[in-house]
Amino acid sequence: MHVGPRPTFNAGKTYEVHIMGITLADLPKKLTVTVVQKQRGIHKFASKEELIAQMERDKVEARAILDTDAPAA
């Protein structure tokens, strides 16, 4: 989950939640999000590709934090 500015894209504050292991079609209408642990701070990346690569590393770390066997998206 990210709450804050989007410095890589020079954009304002946003609220984003990445949901692993579920398709959009299976997403319930109402969702409760629980914060378990902060992974990293806000960082401006040099490119969209660098941000995407970091988000992939974040997913691996999040799965380890949650100790889940969710399939890779």
Side-chain angles (χ1 to χ4, degrees):
M1 177 171 72
H2 172 76
V3 176
R6 299 173 65 201
T8 301
F9 301 106
N10 296 317
K13 189 173 185 177
T14 186
Y15 301 85
E16 303 172 5
V17 177
H18 184 95
I19 303 170
M20 299 181 290
I22 189 169
T23 65
L24 188 58
D26 295 329
L27 193 62
K29 289 184 180 186
K30 186 174 181 179
L31 187 67
T32 300
V33 176
T34 302
V35 177
V36 175
Q37 176 180 320
K38 181 178 178 177
Q39 275 186 270
R40 62 178 171 87
I42 297 171
H43 178 79
K44 182 172 184 170
F45 294 89
S47 68
K48 180 175 106 174
E49 292 74 24
E50 283 186 24
L51 172 59
I52 291 169
Q54 179 60 55
M55 290 172 69
E56 290 300 318
R57 291 189 295 272
D58 291 345
K59 286 194 311 188
V60 170
E61 182 181 348
R63 284 190 178 100
I65 290 168
L66 297 172
D67 192 29
T68 182
D69 294 323

